[in-house]
Amino acid sequence: MPKTNTYAILAAAVLAAQAGWAQEVRVYNWSDYIDEDLLTKFEEETGFDLIYDVFDSNEVLETKLLAGGSGYDVVVPSATFLQRQIAAGAFQPLDKSQLSNIGNLWDVVSARTETYDPGGEYSINYMWGTTGLGVNIGEVTARLGEDAPINSLSLVFDPANMEKLADCGVHFLDAPTEMVPAALQYLGEDPDAKDDESLAKAEAVLSAVRPYVQKYHSSEYISALANGDICVAFGWSGDILQSRDRAAEADNGIEIAYNAPVEGALMWFDQMAIPVDAPNPEGAHAFLNFILDAQNMADASNYVYYANGNIASQELLVEDVIGDPAIYPDAATLETLYTTTPFDARSQRSLTRMWTRVKSGT
């Protein structure tokens, strides 16, 4: 076959693939993190075919992004990872002329995410929350008494408490950027410290309770807590509130509570952004604008029980969401919340090695 024909066929194949991509929007989001009815609604309203995949750790997402050619149009990194990925050139600036609903963003949240994405040039906030303590009240009080410190980091970082809880099951997030700041906060140290001495202090805390941690995972604790398979999870607020509600709906006699630690909790933000090599930027903007709609954002929050960065959605939130201080903290609690910044390449390597030691118990 002549080369010209071969090239023509290849060119036609590329054009056909690009035409297919133009009709699809590929989204990569956290697991259990949206009302799936919204996915159908997006397709019906826009005519795009939505390909929706999930992950359960920032590290998995970052590996795909920094390798290039992820194939996704919209991804949802946490803000600290977003900042580092912006610096690495992983995202394209938003075309705000395509985001007619961007005025719905809440200035309180936007002011805090300014640290990670100045001016909101690359991202919009999807959800935000705190990292804290999920507790099966009955099981924990049976082991630690009625005065069990269910709102304190000592519940999970004091080995004496953890030894008593080990038989009913404790899960920690498989997320060193969440667990290390919490350990430092417990010690009264700067939770955003990244020097070797601070990491060593955090490692000592985490290693001391390692024998009593059943699993490090960033999503399994949702069902495990709701089903009574574990009695404590150190995890994300919305996940634990999902556990609480699943247990209530099952009427299984399990009472789950979530508390942001009194010592202070990490305030995190999950941001929607468009990869620099997104196959369908137009479709990506259509998806972001769809999410920015007040009703759509309210539907998402009402389903996952997370707070969002959309002020216009608040009047559409169910009372169980907007009226729950575990989701929308009061002003006093907001004052105790801290944020963190990204690890640079060197400190990230130290963190990764340390976390491997902690998890393996070596």
Side-chain angles (χ1 to χ4, degrees):
M1 182 180 295
K3 288 184 179 180
T4 51
N5 289 347
T6 302
Y7 294 149
I9 290 170
L10 288 172
V14 169
L15 289 172
Q18 290 174 341
W21 290 337
Q23 300 306 313
E24 292 178 347
V25 179
R26 294 178 175 268
V27 176
Y28 199 36
N29 198 358
W30 293 83
S31 58
D32 297 309
Y33 212 26
I34 199 167
D35 181 349
E36 292 189 2
D37 288 345
L38 287 171
L39 308 182
T40 303
K41 183 180 179 183
F42 172 75
E43 291 183 323
E44 292 173 346
E45 289 188 359
T46 66
F48 287 112
D49 293 326
L50 184 62
I51 310 299
Y52 188 88
D53 296 329
V54 300
F55 59 91
D56 64 9
S57 81
N58 275 297
E59 288 78 10
V60 168
L61 170 60
E62 184 165 73
T63 298
K64 284 183 178 287
L65 282 175
L66 299 187
S70 72
Y72 290 105
D73 299 301
V74 175
V75 296
V76 193
S78 296
T80 51
F81 281 74
L82 171 90
Q83 183 178 11
R84 187 165 64 200
Q85 292 154 5
I86 288 172
F91 299 115
Q92 57 182 271
L94 300 179
D95 179 358
K96 295 181 181 179
S97 69
Q98 297 185 52
L99 302 176
S100 59
N101 294 322
I102 201 164
N104 290 338
L105 288 175
W106 188 14
D107 58 353
V108 170
V109 172
S110 297
R112 296 213 179 198
T113 58
E114 184 80 11
T115 299
Y116 310 105
D117 178 14
E121 290 300 309
Y122 292 90
S123 69
I124 63 166
N125 179 253
Y126 177 53
M127 301 284 183
W128 63 273
T130 55
T131 307
L133 302 158
V135 173
N136 179 321
I137 297 293
E139 296 293 336
V140 170
T141 56
R143 288 161 177 79
L144 299 182
E146 293 297 325
D147 58 350
I150 63 172
N151 65 345
S152 170
L153 290 170
S154 66
L155 181 73
V156 293
F157 291 145
D158 182 342
N161 289 332
M162 285 288 282
E163 184 177 10
K164 295 174 183 176
L165 295 170
D167 72 299
C168 64
V170 178
H171 281 195
F172 279 4
L173 288 170
D174 188 6
T177 54
E178 305 272 349
M179 299 306 304
V180 166
L184 291 171
Q185 186 77 1
Y186 172 66
L187 294 172
E189 301 281 340
D190 177 7
D192 198 29
K194 298 175 173 63
D195 58 279
D196 290 342
E197 182 180 353
S198 296
L199 290 182
K201 290 178 180 178
E203 182 174 1
V205 171
L206 294 163
S207 295
V209 296
R210 172 65 186 91
Y212 313 116
V213 179
Q214 182 186 101
K215 180 173 281 191
Y216 295 85
H217 201 279
S218 296
S219 61
E220 283 187 15
Y221 65 89
I222 302 173
S223 296
L225 200 56
N227 297 336
D229 297 332
I230 62 173
C231 62
V232 173
F234 192 84
W236 292 304
S237 52
D239 283 357
I240 293 166
L241 293 168
Q242 282 187 54
S243 300
R244 179 193 68 182
D245 294 336
R246 289 183 190 181
E249 289 167 7
D251 195 21
N252 57 11
I254 296 172
E255 180 186 359
I256 304 298
Y258 172 77
N259 287 296
V262 292
E263 296 89 346
L266 175 66
M267 186 179 189
W268 52 260
F269 309 90
D270 287 338
Q271 303 288 111
M272 288 191 164
I274 304 174
V276 68
D277 55 358
N280 188 357
E282 180 184 353
H285 281 87
F287 186 81
L288 295 189
N289 201 51
F290 175 84
I291 291 296
L292 284 167
D293 175 82
Q295 185 64 63
N296 295 337
M297 194 67 254
D299 288 346
S301 278
N302 288 338
Y303 181 83
V304 300
Y305 275 60
Y306 277 102
N308 68 64
N310 187 312
I311 186 66
S313 76
Q314 291 188 10
E315 64 182 11
L316 303 170
L317 296 173
V318 296
E319 182 58 27
D320 282 353
V321 173
I322 191 66
D324 190 337
I327 302 175
Y328 281 90
D330 59 29
T333 303
L334 274 172
E335 286 299 313
T336 71
L337 304 182
Y338 61 86
T339 57
T340 57
T341 55
F343 283 74
D344 61 26
R346 180 192 171 281
S347 58
Q348 181 67 41
R349 287 192 294 271
S350 297
L351 177 70
T352 300
R353 286 194 296 268
M354 181 266 272
W355 190 241
T356 299
R357 290 194 299 272
V358 168
K359 289 203 299 177
S360 64
T362 59

